[in-house]
Amino acid sequence: MESQDAQEPPRKRRRKAPTSTSSSTSLALSFGVGLVRYLSSRGRHVLRLIWLWLAEGNLYVGTSASEILHYVAIPPDPADTTASPSYIFASRLQPTYNQSSASSPAPGVQQILLLPKVAKACVLCNGTLTFYSLPELSPAFGNTVVAGCSWIGGINLNTTAEEDADGETVTICIKSRIRLVRIGDEPRKVKNIEYPGCLAIARRDNFACVADARAYALLDVENQQKISLFPISSLDENAAGGQVEDISSHLETSRPSSGTGDPRAHGRSTSLGTFVSGLGRRSPQSRSQERSGRNTPERGLRAASPLRPPDRPRSGSVTGDSSRGPSVSDKPLPPPPDRPSSQQAVQNQPTPFSTKLVPHICSPTPTEFLLTTGTTPDEPGVGIFVNLDGDVVRGTLQFDRYPTSIVVDGNEQATAMSSTGTRQSQEGHILASIVQRKQEGDREVIEVRRWDVDDANGTEHLDIPFSSEEESSEDFEPVVGQARLRTILAQHTAPFPEVGERLRLARLRVSGNGLASTAESNKGPRTAIDNLEDKRNQEEQAFGQRLGTQSSRTVLWSGSSIWWLMRNPLVLRLDGALDRSVIPMSDQGHIVTERKEVSKIITSINEYEASTETEFLSLKYIRQKAGLILFADTLSRGPSSSSIPDIELRAMEDLLVESGLDPRVLLSMVPLLEEEVVDGENGIWIHAGLIWVVEQYARILSDTSGSGSIEGPLRNNQSVHRIKRYLGAWRQRKGFGSIADEVEVFQSVDAALLHLLLYQEGLQSSKSGIPSAARAELYSLVDRGMDCFERAIVLLEQYQRLYVLSRLYQNRKMAGKVLETWRRIIEGEGDAENELRDGENEVRKYLAKIRDITLIHEYGTWLARRNPGLGVQVFADDNSRAKFVAEEVVQLLQEQAPDAVKVYLEHLVFGKKKVQYANRLIAYYLDSVLDVLENSEEARSILAQSYESYRALQPPKPTYRQFIIDNTVPVPWWQDRLRLLELLGGSHGADFSYDLGNILARIEPFEQDLVPESIILDGRQGRHKQALRLLTHGLGDYHTAINYCLMGGASIFHPVSGSLTPNETSTREDQATLFGYLLTEFLRIEDASNRLERTSELLERFGAWYDVKQVLNMIPESWSVELISGFLVGAFRRLVHDKHEAMLVKALSGAENLQIAAAFVEKCRVAGPQVDEIQ
């Protein structure tokens, strides 16, 4: 009786989100077909699926009502990349079966085996096997049926090794034997294998692993031999393993390999049976150890490779590894032993054993079979790997409960079906449906574990939900133990939109004060930039839809629901693990991060090598998210982050840089630095899955700043140091072509680093009062150039760091801005750290390095106004790059810095010896001195006091020039007077001349005050008597008066060091005349003792210039001869010397005359007489 409900097309189901997203969970449930309730002729009950198969878009579902429901897949809309195929009901088939032989209640459709190569289907229903043609399931082979069948399958899993154009070979298990049948245009028997009661089989070429109700065995199909392995239940002590039997005839006899027997028999180790038998008598301690992961018998004997080398002979070790050589299909089992007698066979018959354990056989590799064993269905199960020699290899797998079904997913199967060959598809998993016992009741789950690696902590469980139709049913009663797993021919590809939603790029919106919410970003009118953003969002949406597709051949059904079991994409698994490592503390307003778990995830992905675009983006995304989490956690911890090892922090920084995460993302999370993010026209585009993380942590970090503060986590100096290190690492990546939005990125990095250094140095300097270590970093940053030039100016102005600003300008070679900034500092504008030391001198040195005449004129004259001495050096420096004409400089200074003209002229006259500028300099000196004397009585008093003080000194005393130098008055006009005396005194040589008349006219009103000047001018006019009178009586400088006479009246003031240079035009007579004038003045000295002493000294030292008679006439008669005895003695000596000298000269002249006469006579003699004839 047909049901209308069964004919309704099943509704299309959306894929269910993964129930677990941990790092090791590899599967997700995807709804395929959900069946509605079915009304049978026996009453109303919930339909239960028994078997299904999918091939080439046709779904065949076997039910507990002994029917096959045929559905046809309708491809989804190509435009909708996230849609899955929908299925429509096509037909219903009730397979033929022997109702009398069917058990009660009837199991229904037990198996469906599709053979697409020959377009045939084999259906096992209620113990009867029938054959049909695909796809419409019409009867085949004349309604051939096989009664008493227990299992159908056994297709050679080495599909590449079997090339049979005549059909496909299947294995039919009937009550008494196993029959190999080749299905083609008609079924044809290949051979019979005497193995009664077979319930499961897996075949690799000529080797097959089989199981009956009690034990497993390994068959050599070609040579008709069997190796007994171990019982399904370890409580079955009668089922001994390790037996080799010949099964080529109907009389099956066996001989155990242990004990006494024929020495020719092939003996096998009984350790396998011992190992399996021990499973039923485990201690509680051993059970807990096995549940933790793999339990490996004799682990020390297991080799690193899961396969044994081909040339190694078989051994009896249960843990020895094995591998098949190239000719494994032709390899026979060991020779059978001699058959025992009938009596022995009867004695060896095992006693019956009843068990409810269902055997499970699968083959993860071409050389291995995985078998399950246990004690009871409620106890844990064990998975044992057996190679083609019957030896146990690898370790064992521990299941929480004995599985109801088991399949292999990944490794060989995934590689064979996947064209991508990704690392994820290479991972080998065992999927087992088990009944898990919980407090609220038993529940079916899928237990997932790796079989290709030792991962004791890698077991995950996937819950099996009930369908909505079942739960809504009035008579629904959940029944556990119905879930079944199967690997089918068809490959199903399903999209995971969550992958694209995480990996596609989305714009991270930032404002001037950090992140902007979506609502804020949508305010305001649309612009062209918004339209471009919309276009890119559409492109990213389309790109994301191409990512995250997964393929699978594993099907799960339970009750009336069917699911695909898909591998959870790598990004979803790792992303879920990261999410679980972050624990929000809503009551405390922060997040607790399990840093060790995050580090484990990072370490695990370091082993991955991306082979597809999706994997590459997934690993990149996970690295970026992990780095974000660690970074935010480090900042949020504040001072307590010092407990984090430095090596871990450096690894975090390396991860952030190597992951390629835009540094602007991190900066947008940090208070104070968020305002340095340069969004640009393109915006900041990151993986969409990161945006929520960034916004969440940015909110938390901003909350840590507290009220009235914007620094937040930057109050911790260690956090500042880490951010500096991270930004410094990014600065080293400048010029890398792989960096998107390079301009905006490095503008943000430079601005943030500058802001951070300014902030840090401000804190340190305010506390210590001395320059901090950050200052050198700040200088280095600015001196190497910054991309954020305009922003740097604003920050430096904001922090009042004008000197650092000038260094920034220097890097850009903006000389005008450099000088302008220095001028602001020198003129008193605030510079927070007072870093410009000796600023005026720095300006002078900088002006010497540039060639811009305009700037030199502007700032040189400005400096000359402030400091004439330094300002003049700008124009006087011979090493300056710019050269100047002296006359132009004088004119410029007269216009812009009049006070500096005198200094520049001094440089020209005294430094460069350009005497042509001396008159101008003398005029400046006179202006300075005369203005003071005219307006200051104090100045005149100072001069008078100097004369009086000098005259009061007792000989020997220095010259008046030396006296006024040693007793300099610290006023400018005094220095000018000294320079004036030097110029007027002829220190620049005889060629130096000046306007004497003009000078006389100017100083005439101040003759009494400017005595030295009057003396010099009198000497220049030839008024030597007046000059010597002033020297003797006005100054009392007798030493200078003597020098005046020796110099011929040329100069009385000269350089302190160096020899005197007499006037080249003066003669001894002139000097004698001057000394006569001086004697006259000395004789007029008022102080008698001083007069006598000075006169006696003069006559004694310089008596050679005096005539004795004249001196005697001048000396008063009252003076005794003794007073001038020195002069007279000297005079007499000179007279005697002159007389003796005259006599000597006369005698010498006479002798010379005689010599000349004798020479003349001799020449005449030689010449002889000369006769002159008189005409």
Side-chain angles (χ1 to χ4, degrees):
M1 178 178 177
E2 294 186 0
S3 171
Q4 294 178 356
D5 293 337
Q7 296 176 359
E8 295 178 1
R11 290 173 293 182
K12 175 182 172 181
R13 303 293 185 86
R14 294 182 305 157
R15 184 181 59 82
K16 182 183 177 184
T19 58
S20 177
T21 54
S22 66
S23 59
S24 59
T25 299
S26 60
L27 301 177
L29 292 176
S30 176
F31 283 122
V33 175
L35 298 181
V36 297
R37 292 189 303 157
Y38 173 71
L39 186 62
S40 70
S41 59
R42 292 170 292 180
R44 187 176 181 86
H45 66 280
V46 177
L47 180 70
R48 184 168 59 90
L49 275 68
I50 303 299
W51 198 276
L52 63 83
W53 202 282
L54 179 65
E56 298 180 355
N58 293 276
L59 175 64
Y60 304 96
V61 179
T63 70
S64 58
S66 302
E67 292 182 341
I68 296 179
L69 304 180
H70 177 201
Y71 293 89
V72 178
I74 304 299
D77 184 2
D80 187 1
T81 57
T82 62
S84 299
S86 59
Y87 292 84
I88 62 172
F89 180 75
S91 64
R92 177 190 295 109
L93 173 67
Q94 292 184 338
T96 303
Y97 63 92
N98 188 350
Q99 296 185 1
S100 61
S101 63
S103 60
S104 180
V109 177
Q110 298 168 275
Q111 283 183 272
I112 301 174
L113 177 63
L114 301 186
L115 306 175
K117 185 184 297 184
V118 294
K120 296 295 186 292
C122 305
V123 178
L124 177 60
C125 180
N126 296 325
T128 303
L129 177 64
T130 53
F131 301 91
Y132 299 91
S133 297
L134 297 179
E136 69 281 358
L137 293 183
S138 59
F141 310 139
N143 290 325
T144 301
V145 297
V146 179
C149 182
S150 60
W151 202 84
I152 177 68
I155 297 177
N156 185 12
L157 297 179
N158 293 342
T159 54
T160 57
E162 184 178 43
E163 298 179 359
D164 191 350
D166 296 337
E168 291 193 48
T169 302
V170 300
T171 304
I172 301 174
C173 299
I174 56 180
K175 292 182 179 180
S176 59
R177 64 180 59 87
I178 298 175
R179 178 172 296 168
L180 268 64
V181 178
R182 179 165 292 127
I183 306 296
D185 294 336
E186 58 181 15
R188 183 166 58 87
K189 185 180 74 171
V190 177
K191 84 173 46 174
N192 289 333
I193 301 175
E194 300 304 325
Y195 188 86
C198 180
L199 299 180
I201 183 171
R203 183 163 64 94
R204 293 281 187 180
D205 293 335
N206 290 330
F207 288 89
C209 186
V210 297
D212 55 18
R214 300 185 61 179
Y216 297 99
L218 186 64
L219 303 181
D220 184 343
V221 177
E222 184 69 24
N223 298 298
Q224 297 283 301
Q225 295 179 6
K226 180 184 77 170
I227 298 178
S228 298
L229 297 179
F230 48 82
I232 300 172
S233 173
S234 57
L235 300 178
D236 186 3
E237 299 180 355
N238 296 323
Q243 299 176 350
V244 179
E245 304 176 39
D246 186 351
I247 53 177
S248 58
S249 67
H250 291 283
L251 296 177
E252 295 182 358
T253 58
S254 62
R255 175 180 298 177
S257 58
S258 59
T260 59
D262 192 342
R264 295 174 300 171
H266 178 75
R268 294 189 57 82
S269 171
T270 60
S271 60
L272 177 63
T274 304
F275 163 67
V276 176
S277 62
L279 294 176
R281 295 177 294 274
R282 295 189 301 272
S283 64
Q285 181 179 3
S286 64
R287 289 186 182 184
S288 62
Q289 293 175 350
E290 291 173 359
R291 287 193 183 97
S292 64
R294 292 180 178 271
N295 179 27
T296 307
E298 302 181 36
R299 180 179 292 270
L301 301 178
R302 181 162 52 94
S305 172
L307 303 180
R308 192 179 66 185
D311 55 349
R312 196 188 90 173
R314 290 186 297 169
S315 68
S317 174
V318 298
T319 58
D321 298 343
S322 64
S323 176
R324 299 189 324 163
S327 58
V328 67
S329 60
D330 299 327
K331 175 181 175 181
L333 288 174
D338 294 339
R339 293 179 182 147
S341 63
S342 300
Q343 183 178 0
Q344 291 175 338
V346 172
Q347 293 176 355
N348 292 334
Q349 290 261 344
T351 60
F353 178 79
S354 175
T355 178
K356 296 181 180 180
L357 299 185
V358 178
H360 301 296
I361 305 174
C362 56
S363 179
T365 70
T367 61
E368 293 173 311
F369 296 102
L370 174 62
L371 316 176
T372 60
T373 183
T375 54
T376 65
D378 295 334
E379 292 294 325
V382 178
I384 302 176
F385 293 89
V386 178
N387 63 12
L388 299 181
D389 290 331
D391 297 329
V392 175
V393 293
R394 301 182 182 274
T396 60
L397 298 178
Q398 179 76 25
F399 300 103
D400 292 348
R401 300 275 296 270
Y402 190 84
T404 57
S405 61
I406 185 171
V407 295
V408 176
D409 181 78
N411 207 294
E412 182 191 13
Q413 283 80 2
T415 304
M417 79 173 185
S418 175
S419 60
T420 60
T422 64
R423 180 186 177 95
Q424 187 179 2
S425 66
Q426 298 294 333
E427 296 176 355
H429 291 84
I430 294 295
L431 282 64
S433 59
I434 64 173
V435 178
Q436 196 174 55
R437 183 172 298 170
K438 297 185 178 180
Q439 292 181 353
E440 60 273 14
D442 292 350
R443 185 174 181 83
E444 286 187 289
V445 297
I446 304 299
E447 183 172 320
V448 184
R449 61 169 63 247
R450 294 286 296 273
W451 63 264
D452 54 345
V453 294
D454 289 332
D455 188 6
N457 299 320
T459 302
E460 298 291 340
H461 293 90
L462 187 65
D463 290 334
I464 303 176
F466 299 106
S467 67
S468 58
E469 286 82 0
E470 291 175 332
E471 292 180 343
S472 61
S473 175
E474 296 178 357
D475 54 354
F476 170 70
E477 294 182 4
V479 179
V480 297
Q482 296 182 358
R484 295 295 183 269
L485 295 166
R486 193 67 58 197
T487 301
I488 61 177
L489 295 178
Q491 177 175 328
H492 175 69
T493 300
F496 279 74
E498 297 91 341
V499 174
E501 287 300 317
R502 284 170 169 80
L503 299 184
R504 71 177 181 88
L505 299 183
R507 183 172 183 176
L508 178 68
R509 295 189 174 276
V510 295
S511 62
N513 295 319
L515 297 176
S517 64
T518 305
E520 293 176 351
S521 62
N522 292 331
K523 292 181 180 179
R526 304 289 296 176
T527 63
I529 296 179
D530 294 329
N531 295 332
L532 291 176
E533 181 181 344
D534 292 341
K535 181 180 178 181
R536 180 165 182 181
N537 278 327
Q538 294 174 1
E539 294 174 351
E540 292 295 337
Q541 289 282 2
F543 173 74
Q545 291 175 357
R546 299 199 304 267
L547 303 174
T549 57
Q550 293 290 108
S551 298
S552 175
R553 291 192 302 158
T554 303
V555 178
L556 165 69
W557 68 85
S558 177
S560 60
S561 298
I562 307 170
W563 296 272
W564 286 105
L565 263 69
M566 312 295 295
R567 280 180 178 266
N568 202 11
L570 174 66
V571 65
L572 298 185
R573 289 195 284 128
L574 297 177
D575 196 35
L578 286 176
D579 290 341
R580 288 197 307 277
S581 67
V582 177
I583 306 173
M585 307 295 291
S586 57
D587 55 336
Q588 302 178 16
H590 68 277
I591 292 178
V592 176
T593 302
E594 298 290 343
R595 298 184 67 94
K596 291 184 178 180
E597 296 301 322
V598 178
S599 299
K600 288 180 181 178
I601 296 172
I602 297 172
T603 303
S604 66
I605 64 177
N606 289 336
E607 303 175 359
Y608 278 83
E609 293 183 5
S611 57
T612 65
E613 183 180 23
T614 301
E615 285 189 353
F616 175 80
L617 294 177
S618 299
L619 296 178
K620 179 181 177 183
Y621 166 80
I622 293 300
R623 288 189 175 98
Q624 292 181 356
K625 184 172 181 178
L628 267 176
I629 293 174
L630 294 177
F631 174 80
D633 176 69
T634 303
L635 292 187
S636 63
R637 291 191 179 198
S640 63
S641 63
S642 58
S643 61
I644 303 175
D646 188 65
I647 187 173
E648 182 178 337
L649 294 174
R650 289 191 176 273
M652 176 194 71
E653 296 164 11
D654 295 340
L655 175 66
L656 287 171
V657 175
E658 294 172 1
S659 67
L661 178 64
D662 193 324
R664 295 177 293 176
V665 177
L666 270 67
L667 297 179
S668 66
M669 300 165 55
V670 183
L672 187 70
L673 301 184
E674 58 192 4
E675 59 191 57
E676 307 307 332
V677 176
V678 180
D679 197 7
E681 294 183 358
N682 296 330
I684 303 174
W685 291 81
I686 60 175
H687 293 296
L690 300 178
I691 292 181
W692 179 84
V693 179
V694 175
E695 293 176 347
Q696 182 185 36
Y697 276 108
R699 183 169 57 256
I700 293 173
L701 292 177
S702 62
D703 292 342
T704 61
S705 61
S707 59
S709 175
I710 61 172
E711 295 89 354
L714 297 184
R715 288 175 292 184
N716 178 19
N717 190 54
Q718 294 178 348
S719 298
V720 173
H721 181 64
R722 296 183 192 108
I723 298 176
K724 284 195 309 182
R725 237 171 20 192
Y726 168 72
L727 295 176
W730 259 99
R731 277 179 57 85
Q732 296 178 2
R733 296 167 65 90
K734 282 189 178 182
F736 287 17
S738 59
I739 299 176
D741 300 326
E742 182 178 9
V743 174
E744 291 80 5
V745 167
F746 289 111
Q747 284 180 353
S748 303
V749 169
D750 286 357
L753 185 55
L754 176 62
H755 201 163
L756 203 59
L757 289 171
L758 291 172
Y759 171 77
Q760 183 186 28
E761 189 189 4
L763 287 181
Q764 295 177 352
S765 299
S766 62
K767 294 178 181 179
S768 62
I770 59 176
S772 64
R775 181 168 299 181
E777 299 179 49
L778 181 60
Y779 289 167
S780 176
L781 172 67
V782 173
D783 292 344
R784 287 185 293 177
M786 304 189 67
D787 293 351
C788 60
F789 182 69
E790 298 298 332
R791 178 58 183 169
I793 295 175
V794 174
L795 286 173
L796 294 172
E797 292 279 5
Q798 176 182 339
Y799 280 84
Q800 296 184 348
R801 301 301 296 275
L802 297 183
Y803 176 71
V804 182
L805 177 60
S806 70
R807 297 181 72 122
L808 177 65
Y809 287 136
Q810 287 185 65
N811 178 263
R812 292 291 183 102
K813 301 188 183 302
M814 301 174 67
K817 289 293 185 179
V818 174
L819 294 168
E820 179 187 353
T821 307
W822 283 350
R823 179 167 62 183
R824 291 169 57 190
I825 298 174
I826 295 171
E827 290 180 348
E829 190 169 342
D831 184 30
E833 300 296 332
N834 297 319
E835 298 160 89
L836 184 61
R837 307 294 182 183
D838 194 9
E840 293 178 350
N841 193 43
E842 289 296 326
V843 172
R844 179 194 65 79
K845 292 189 290 185
Y846 189 75
L847 289 173
K849 298 176 182 178
I850 64 176
R851 290 191 174 92
D852 192 327
I853 299 297
T854 303
L855 289 177
I856 296 176
H857 284 176
E858 178 183 355
Y859 289 95
T861 55
W862 168 80
L863 185 60
R865 289 193 297 271
R866 290 185 56 86
N867 189 334
L870 282 177
V872 166
Q873 292 181 32
V874 174
F875 304 99
D877 191 353
D878 292 334
N879 296 323
S880 176
R881 291 189 175 186
K883 304 302 178 184
F884 304 95
V885 178
E887 190 62 36
E888 295 177 354
V889 174
V890 172
Q891 183 177 358
L892 176 65
L893 293 176
Q894 287 175 342
E895 296 175 356
Q896 302 292 334
D899 294 340
V901 176
K902 181 188 68 175
V903 180
Y904 185 67
L905 291 174
E906 287 176 344
H907 164 71
L908 294 177
V909 174
F910 295 104
K912 298 295 185 181
K913 306 301 181 184
K914 295 183 177 182
V915 295
Q916 62 268 31
Y917 296 98
N919 280 319
R920 294 186 185 182
L921 184 57
I922 291 173
Y924 273 97
Y925 288 152
L926 285 174
D927 291 340
S928 174
V929 175
L930 297 180
D931 287 345
V932 173
L933 294 177
E934 184 178 0
N935 300 314
S936 175
E937 184 66 27
E938 181 184 3
R940 291 194 296 270
S941 175
I942 291 174
L943 288 177
Q945 182 67 32
S946 69
Y947 300 149
E948 184 178 350
S949 299
Y950 184 74
R951 286 194 298 266
L953 294 176
Q954 295 298 321
K957 60 182 179 181
T959 64
Y960 179 73
R961 172 179 173 81
Q962 187 62 41
F963 173 77
I964 61 177
I965 290 175
D966 294 341
N967 298 275
T968 298
V969 180
V971 289
W973 66 268
W974 187 274
Q975 300 298 326
D976 292 344
R977 181 171 179 251
L978 293 178
R979 288 295 182 96
L980 176 62
L981 291 173
E982 186 175 348
L983 287 176
L984 294 177
S987 61
H988 286 71
D991 295 336
F992 173 60
S993 62
Y994 43 82
D995 190 351
L996 184 61
N998 180 44
I999 297 174
L1000 284 172
R1002 295 193 64 183
I1003 69 171
E1004 184 177 359
F1006 305 97
E1007 286 184 352
Q1008 299 300 322
D1009 299 314
L1010 302 176
V1011 176
E1013 289 82 354
S1014 299
I1015 295 171
I1016 295 173
L1017 295 177
D1018 286 341
R1020 285 281 182 173
Q1021 297 176 84
R1023 299 168 58 183
H1024 301 301
K1025 288 184 179 181
Q1026 180 66 20
L1028 290 173
R1029 184 180 300 113
L1030 290 174
L1031 281 171
T1032 304
H1033 305 289
L1035 289 179
D1037 188 356
Y1038 308 121
H1039 182 73
T1040 301
I1042 293 173
N1043 288 337
Y1044 183 87
C1045 297
L1046 292 174
M1047 299 290 292
S1051 176
I1052 62 169
F1053 292 105
H1054 48 77
V1056 177
S1057 61
S1059 60
L1060 297 176
T1061 305
N1063 191 344
E1064 295 179 358
T1065 60
S1066 65
T1067 60
R1068 189 172 181 81
E1069 289 76 11
D1070 295 335
Q1071 293 175 348
T1073 302
L1074 294 177
F1075 274 113
Y1077 296 154
L1078 183 59
L1079 179 60
T1080 301
E1081 297 301 327
F1082 276 9
L1083 292 173
R1084 294 177 180 175
I1085 297 175
E1086 295 181 359
D1087 185 92
S1089 61
N1090 191 22
R1091 180 174 64 244
L1092 180 60
E1093 184 178 353
R1094 298 281 75 76
T1095 302
S1096 299
E1097 181 183 2
L1098 176 65
L1099 292 174
E1100 185 177 354
R1101 290 178 60 193
F1102 302 100
W1105 276 269
Y1106 290 98
D1107 181 75
V1108 177
K1109 182 177 179 180
Q1110 183 181 4
V1111 170
L1112 292 176
N1113 292 332
M1114 295 177 64
I1115 292 176
E1117 294 180 358
S1118 60
W1119 285 17
S1120 65
V1121 176
E1122 185 180 0
L1123 296 177
I1124 59 173
S1125 60
F1127 168 70
L1128 294 176
V1129 171
F1132 289 146
R1133 286 177 178 174
R1134 285 192 296 275
L1135 290 174
V1136 173
H1137 175 272
D1138 291 342
K1139 177 181 177 181
H1140 291 167
E1141 182 179 358
M1143 293 174 62
L1144 180 60
V1145 170
K1146 181 178 179 180
L1148 291 174
S1149 298
E1152 183 180 7
N1153 186 39
L1154 289 176
Q1155 288 179 351
I1156 292 173
F1160 176 74
V1161 172
E1162 182 64 24
K1163 288 183 178 179
C1164 289
R1165 185 185 64 80
V1166 173
Q1170 181 177 356
V1171 180
D1172 292 334
E1173 294 181 1
I1174 301 175
Q1175 298 292 336

